[in-house]
Amino acid sequence: MKSTYQIAVLPGDGIGNEVMQAAAALLQALEPRIGIHFALEWHKAGAQHYLDTGVSLPESVLRACEQADAILFGAMGLPHVRGADGTEIIPQLDLRFHFDLYAGVRPIRTFKGLPTPLSHPKAQNIDFVLVRENTEGLFYARGRGDVRSVDGIETEVYDTMKISRHGTARICEFAFKLAERRAATKGREGRVTNVDKANVFASMAFWRKVFEESAAAHPGVAADNAYVDAMALNLVMKPWTYDVMVTENMFGDILSDLIAALVGGMGMAPSGDIGDKHGLFQPAHGTAPDIAGQGKANPTAMLLSTAMMLDWLADHSGDTRLADGAAMIERAVEHVFANGSVRPMEFGGPHGTADVTRAVVGALKAKAAT
Ligand code: ATP
């Protein structure tokens, strides 16, 4: 078993930098407790780097990510930094396509001690995973927009959605395998809900057909379908009824923010972008320019993303110490919120990034020792 794991660290812009400091402190505290050294290699990339150098994601950073055991990512993009076509500089999308990180995994759950905006008592039991197809769908159109002009005046612009059998089958397979795994851990039947718009678009009807084929290959997991508009309603009305849901890239992008709100905000929503070879882990939030540089960001999403990275590394390497480390982080986060000692500013509390980090690191050290 390896004694050192190489982690490519891309803090990026805005609060990406701030929450990454929290992740680094946590990994450092974890090292002696699981007997593993994390060699963190820090790299510059993002919108500010683009302003400074003209390049948002240097080749050398891509190579370093390729070599690393995993990629830990903060957030990138600034509203005033845009390319020639008017879109933001968003290297995380380039990384997803480059490394074929086809599964955007967004677990969402309530934490004891923290309020949810939903008043229904069952909202305390939210615990599901949104699986977003990351490499095609409407995002396939990025950089390919077809701008039509008449007499030099732009008149129509087309962004085309791509749904392939290969892309859909592999993301559905990923979702069913995840549901099987969750079912085994939780001791109950698994369920995958497909979210599409098959009543309107041929591409989505095809997506649903491929989902149904995947469902048939996994008879032990319950499967159902929902239109994305109905899902937006259901996710507010009864989010506690879901287990795993799988959806197209753009729908997944939108629903990701909605589900983060269910448990208190973006600072509570971790994510992993996972392919067959590489894994990139980042909070679901962006660079939050409105609070950047003020020490207000909730680092919890980043810390939980770090735990996801360790779980993924454990699966890939068979090194159970990494899974132990992931569990320690989860327990530490649960502990600081459950005992009421910490209330992030995102929840209207007094605690900023450094306070939350200190509390979680402290709980990790204390818990690991008991
Ligand atoms: P992107 O499109 O890059 O994902 P976004 O436009 O969705 O970004 P975010 O940067 O995620 O926007 O911010 C959305 C809102 O959530 C902002 O008001 C921001 O301050 C808040 N927010 C995001 N992350 C955090 C965090 N970790 N802690 C506290 N508030 C946050």
Side-chain angles (χ1 to χ4, degrees):
M1 255 183 300
K2 293 212 278 194
S3 60
T4 299
Y5 286 82
Q6 309 285 337
I7 312 296
V9 178
L10 280 63
D13 303 302
I15 66 164
N17 281 298
E18 300 165 38
V19 297
M20 191 60 84
Q21 299 302 328
L26 192 65
L27 283 173
Q28 200 184 14
L30 195 61
E31 283 183 333
R33 287 161 180 87
I34 57 173
I36 286 176
H37 172 54
F38 297 103
L40 305 184
E41 304 156 355
W42 297 71
H43 300 284
K44 285 192 174 158
Q48 187 57 51
H49 195 66
Y50 176 78
L51 283 184
D52 296 341
T53 67
V55 181
S56 60
L57 185 63
E59 266 301 308
S60 59
V61 177
L62 272 181
R63 295 287 88 78
C65 290
E66 226 161 78
Q67 300 300 319
D69 292 305
I71 306 162
L72 205 50
F73 190 102
M76 291 185 191
L78 295 168
H80 60 284
V81 185
R82 289 175 186 264
D85 66 353
T87 60
E88 274 190 46
I89 305 291
I90 317 176
Q92 54 270 41
L93 296 181
D94 300 315
L95 284 162
R96 282 178 203 160
F97 283 88
H98 181 84
F99 290 114
D100 201 19
L101 307 173
Y102 60 87
V105 182
R106 280 105 197 266
I108 210 81
R109 69 181 174 106
T110 28
F111 282 84
K112 231 189 221 150
L114 288 180
T116 146
L118 303 180
S119 58
H120 197 293
K122 285 191 178 166
Q124 291 304 325
N125 306 322
I126 295 170
D127 179 4
F128 65 86
V129 185
L130 173 75
V131 177
R132 165 185 176 184
E133 202 296 315
N134 255 350
T135 56
E136 43 186 50
L138 191 52
F139 275 62
Y140 181 77
R142 179 172 174 257
R144 295 185 171 90
D146 176 8
V147 182
R148 312 253 174 109
S149 303
V150 176
D151 297 333
I153 296 171
E154 291 171 359
T155 52
E156 290 173 354
V157 183
Y158 294 85
D159 284 322
T160 305
M161 176 186 286
K162 172 183 172 184
I163 301 293
S164 75
R165 173 172 288 283
H166 170 71
T168 310
R170 69 179 177 174
I171 197 68
C172 291
E173 183 63 20
F174 188 99
F176 277 100
K177 284 220 173 96
L178 177 63
E180 281 166 358
R181 205 171 147 160
R182 279 170 61 86
T185 316
K186 293 175 185 289
R188 50 138 180 82
E189 193 190 32
R191 174 178 166 216
V192 180
T193 303
N194 165 47
V195 183
D196 63 31
K197 193 71 183 167
N199 52 338
V200 175
F201 300 107
S203 58
M204 290 279 88
F206 175 61
W207 163 285
R208 184 174 288 206
K209 196 165 103 183
V210 177
F211 171 79
E212 300 283 8
E213 288 168 10
S214 198
H218 295 273
V221 179
D224 59 356
N225 296 291
Y227 297 131
V228 65
D229 45 340
M231 195 49 142
L233 177 86
N234 288 341
L235 278 172
V236 176
M237 299 297 283
K238 48 175 185 174
W240 50 87
T241 61
Y242 293 104
D243 179 12
V244 174
M245 59 192 74
V246 63
T247 193
E248 178 273 333
N249 208 338
M250 179 71 169
F251 296 159
D253 182 45
I254 297 167
L255 293 180
S256 288
D257 279 29
L258 191 158
I259 64 175
L262 298 176
V263 297
M266 297 306 295
M268 297 304 294
S271 89
D273 293 323
I274 295 173
D276 290 332
K277 289 201 191 110
H278 300 276
L280 178 153
F281 300 84
Q282 66 171 123
H285 60 74
T287 55
D290 54 334
I291 57 165
Q294 301 167 47
K296 291 180 176 172
N298 178 4
T300 307
M302 183 78 240
L303 302 179
L304 294 173
S305 303
T306 307
M308 285 179 75
M309 176 184 80
L310 298 183
D311 261 332
W312 178 80
L313 278 170
D315 277 354
H316 270 244
S317 61
D319 187 341
T320 55
R321 296 172 303 172
L322 292 157
D324 292 344
M328 284 179 201
I329 295 177
E330 296 263 346
R331 280 207 306 274
V333 171
E334 282 165 10
H335 180 76
V336 300
F337 294 135
N339 72 13
S341 59
V342 167
R343 179 64 68 101
M345 289 181 180
E346 190 176 31
F347 287 83
H351 299 116
T353 316
D355 302 313
V356 179
T357 307
R358 207 175 302 116
V360 175
V361 168
L364 182 123
K365 289 180 176 172
K367 288 244 137 204
T370 56

